[in-house]
Amino acid sequence: MENPSKNTVAQLRSRSWEMELLLSGFVLVLLLPVPGYFEQQGSIWLTNLNIGIIQQLFTIIFVIGLFSSRILIANLIIYLFFRGFWVGIVGLTSAFPEGIRWSQLPYQDKYHQYLRRKTWSTDYYVELINRIGSSVFSFSFLLVFLVVAFFSFLIIPMLVAVTFNRYFADYPDAHWVSRVLGLVLPLFLITYICLGFIFLLDFLTFGLIKRLDWKPLQRLYFPLYRFFRWITLARLYTPIYYTFVSNVPKKITALLLIAYLGIFLFFTNYRYSEEIFYPTERTSAQLLNQYYEDQYDETRSTPHPLIPSEYITRAYLRLFLPYLVSDNDSLQHLCPEVDLLQQPGFIKDFNVRIGTVTSTDTTQTTAPQQPEENVQAALHCLASMYQISINDSLCHPSVFYFYRNDRNGQPGLVTYLALTSLPDGPHQLTIRKRDYTSANPEAYQTHFIPFIKE
C-alpha cells in the first residue's frame, strides 16, 4: 500500500514551480524597497545606540538584512527570468509537440549530423531550464544562510572585544589584569580566526579535510568541525549545500559560487562614473537636501541638523540639532558634573487614563521631578557640543530648548539664529560638533548648510 504522505510530497515536487513563481513574485515586490530602507535608516539606528554589545548586535542585524535583501532581489530576478523562459519553452512544446522536425530542414548531411548531435531536444531543454530555475530559487536562500553563518561566526570575537572594552579597558597598562589580557586576547582571537579559516577551507573545497584518511587529523578536526557547525548554524544550510554538492559537479558548483559572489560584491559596491569634475567627498560647496525639513521625510529620524528650507523669508532661522544617544559618552566627558535626567533602560511608552482630566499639569507623578538647575545644565551641556557660524561669523544663540518631533519621536534641541543683519542673498550655515571622547581637540563633525535669505 502506498504511503499517502509520500504521494503528497511527490505531487508537491512536480508542481513546485507554481509555488516558487507565486512566492518569488510576491516576495520580490516586498523586498524591492528594503535595501534602500536599510541604507537610509541603518546609520540612524546605529548612532542612537550607546551600549557596546547592543550596538554590535544591531550592526550584525543591519548588515545581514542589507546583504540578504540584495541577494534575494538579485536571485529572484534571475529566477523569474529562467522561469519565464521555461514557461515559454513549455508553451512552444504544447504548440509543436513533435519538437524539431529535422525532415523539414533541407541541410547537407554534415550539418544534419552535427546539429542532431549538438542540439538538445525540447523535452530535455524544458527539464534543464526547470532544474536551473528551481536551483536558483534554492541557491538564493543558501547564500542568505551563508551570510547569517558568517556573521554568527563573528559574534564570539565581537563579544570578547566588547566585554574587554567595557570592563577592563580602564585598567592601567602596568596592572596585571591588563598584561594578562594583553597576551591572552590576541592569542585567543588569532587562534579562533585560524581555526575558523580551516573550517571555511573545508567548506569551500566541499569536504577536502573530511576526505583525508589520516586518523590523528580526524580526531582533532571532528570536534572542531562540530563546534563551528554549531556556531555557524549549519542546520539551516547543510541540507541545501549537500544537495548541490552531491548532485552537481563540484567544479561547476565552485565556479558558479565564486563567479556569483564576485559579480554580486562588485556590482553592489562599485558603480561606473565619469563625473571627473564632481567631488567624491562632502565639501562646503555642496547642497544636500538632508538638511532641509521641507525636503526630508519627517516620519524618519535624522542624524543631521535641520533648517526649515533653502529659502528663508523670516528674520530668525529655526535650527534643529538632533540628540543622538551615541553622543552620551562625549557629553559625560564634557559635563561630568551634570546629573543624568533619567536612567537608561525600558520606559513606559504610553499612558492610559480613565476619567475626566481635572488639571492641565502633565507632570508625571510617578517620576521624580528634576531640579530646574540640573535641567538647564543638561541643556547647556548639549548645546556646548555645537559650534555654529554663518559666513565664518561665530553665532551665540541666546536660547536653546529641548524639543521632540511629534511625527517621528526624535529628541533634540531647537534654537533661533538672528538674520536681521544679513543682506538678502546666499549664505552658508556651518555647524561643527565636537567629539570630546577623542584626545584630538580638532575632532569635529562638520555640516555645511547653504541657504538663501529673501
Side-chain angles (χ1 to χ4, degrees):
M1 185 176 180
E2 294 186 3
N3 188 347
S5 62
K6 187 174 181 180
N7 292 334
T8 303
V9 172
Q11 292 177 5
L12 289 174
R13 282 202 192 102
S14 64
R15 305 189 63 178
S16 64
W17 67 271
E18 297 177 358
M19 296 181 289
E20 292 171 1
L21 195 59
L22 179 63
L23 183 62
S24 61
F26 179 72
V27 172
L28 183 59
V29 172
L30 295 179
L31 281 177
L32 284 175
V34 171
Y37 181 78
F38 269 104
E39 290 175 348
Q40 292 178 1
Q41 290 295 102
S43 60
I44 299 173
W45 295 340
L46 297 179
T47 52
N48 278 280
L49 293 171
N50 195 48
I51 301 176
I53 181 61
I54 297 179
Q55 188 174 41
Q56 298 300 327
L57 291 176
F58 263 83
T59 302
I60 291 175
I61 294 172
F62 163 71
V63 176
I64 289 176
L66 179 62
F67 277 89
S68 298
S69 58
R70 286 176 172 176
I71 288 172
L72 286 176
I73 289 173
N75 280 24
L76 289 176
I77 292 175
I78 295 172
Y79 167 77
L80 288 175
F81 169 79
F82 277 106
R83 189 54 71 185
F85 185 30
W86 177 81
V87 171
I89 299 300
V90 170
L92 183 67
T93 57
S94 64
F96 304 100
E98 296 182 14
I100 301 174
R101 299 173 62 187
W102 295 103
S103 60
Q104 300 299 315
L105 300 175
Y107 299 155
Q108 296 294 324
D109 291 341
K110 179 189 298 186
Y111 294 101
H112 262 290
Q113 294 174 7
Y114 177 80
L115 289 174
R116 282 177 177 270
R117 189 172 66 252
K118 295 294 184 178
T119 305
W120 294 324
S121 68
T122 51
D123 290 339
Y124 177 79
Y125 204 25
V126 167
E127 180 62 23
L128 177 64
I129 300 301
N130 182 46
R131 286 188 178 185
I132 293 175
S134 297
S135 298
V136 168
F137 197 78
S138 301
F139 188 66
S140 307
F141 292 96
L142 174 61
L143 292 175
V144 170
F145 289 142
L146 291 181
V147 172
V148 175
F150 175 73
F151 285 99
S152 64
F153 167 78
L154 296 179
I155 285 179
I156 289 182
M158 293 175 70
L159 290 177
V160 171
V162 169
T163 303
F164 171 76
N165 289 331
R166 187 169 182 83
Y167 296 106
F168 303 106
D170 293 333
Y171 282 89
D173 293 338
H175 197 279
W176 69 271
V177 173
S178 296
R179 285 184 290 179
V180 171
L181 291 176
L183 294 174
V184 173
L185 279 180
L187 182 62
F188 167 78
L189 293 176
I190 292 173
T191 303
Y192 180 82
I193 292 174
C194 290
L195 294 177
F197 178 77
I198 294 173
F199 177 79
L200 177 64
L201 179 65
D202 183 63
F203 176 85
L204 294 178
T205 56
F206 310 112
L208 173 63
I209 299 177
K210 292 192 288 290
R211 294 197 298 267
L212 297 176
D213 188 15
W214 188 28
K215 292 184 179 179
L217 174 63
Q218 298 303 331
R219 280 197 296 266
L220 292 173
Y221 182 66
F222 185 66
L224 175 69
Y225 174 73
R226 294 184 61 182
F227 171 75
F228 280 108
R229 267 183 56 89
W230 180 77
I231 289 294
T232 59
L233 309 175
R235 285 183 179 270
L236 295 176
Y237 59 84
T238 47
I240 306 175
Y241 170 75
Y242 286 115
T243 299
F244 277 114
V245 171
S246 59
N247 287 278
V248 181
K250 295 179 177 59
K251 291 183 179 179
I252 295 178
T253 304
L255 180 62
L256 289 176
L257 182 61
I258 294 172
Y260 178 89
L261 291 177
I263 294 172
F264 175 80
L265 292 175
F266 179 82
F267 281 102
T268 55
N269 292 280
Y270 297 92
R271 67 180 181 89
Y272 181 75
S273 174
E274 292 187 359
E275 300 167 350
I276 59 175
F277 288 100
Y278 195 86
T280 57
E281 302 292 336
R282 292 185 182 180
T283 70
S284 59
Q286 284 184 305
L287 182 69
L288 303 173
N289 60 4
Q290 62 193 13
Y291 295 123
Y292 307 101
E293 292 181 1
D294 59 351
Q295 300 180 33
Y296 194 86
D297 185 0
E298 288 191 6
T299 60
R300 298 178 178 178
S301 300
T302 174
H304 310 293
L306 290 175
I307 63 174
S309 174
E310 291 180 49
Y311 303 95
I312 305 300
T313 58
R314 300 185 179 182
Y316 285 87
L317 174 64
R318 183 180 185 273
L319 174 63
F320 171 74
L321 302 170
Y323 165 53
L324 304 177
V325 177
S326 56
D327 294 328
N328 283 351
D329 292 338
S330 185
L331 290 167
Q332 288 179 322
H333 277 77
L334 173 62
C335 308
E337 72 282 356
V338 178
D339 296 330
L340 300 182
L341 299 186
Q342 58 178 309
Q343 295 297 324
F346 291 99
I347 59 173
K348 186 168 60 175
D349 202 27
F350 65 95
N351 292 314
V352 178
R353 298 187 180 184
I354 301 176
T356 58
V357 178
T358 58
S359 173
T360 59
D361 185 10
T362 58
T363 302
Q364 295 185 7
T365 58
T366 57
Q369 188 170 359
Q370 292 288 335
E372 182 64 22
E373 296 81 5
N374 191 60
V375 174
Q376 290 297 326
L379 179 61
H380 177 73
C381 183
L382 283 169
S384 299
M385 292 185 65
Y386 294 93
Q387 185 184 94
I388 304 170
S389 59
I390 297 179
N391 300 335
D392 297 328
S393 297
L394 198 61
C395 300
H396 301 281
S398 57
V399 294
F400 284 89
Y401 299 98
F402 287 115
Y403 175 80
R404 187 181 293 274
N405 191 317
D406 290 336
R407 297 189 65 184
N408 56 35
Q410 183 176 19
L413 305 181
V414 164
T415 188
Y416 302 90
L417 308 177
L419 304 180
T420 52
S421 62
L422 292 179
D424 290 348
H427 303 278
Q428 177 128 288
L429 172 66
T430 303
I431 300 171
R432 304 175 73 194
K433 183 170 72 172
R434 169 77 184 275
D435 180 9
Y436 286 90
T437 60
S438 174
N440 181 9
E442 297 299 321
Y444 284 96
Q445 180 185 17
T446 306
H447 303 272
F448 300 102
I449 309 178
F451 68 93
I452 296 176
K453 181 187 176 185
E454 294 183 332

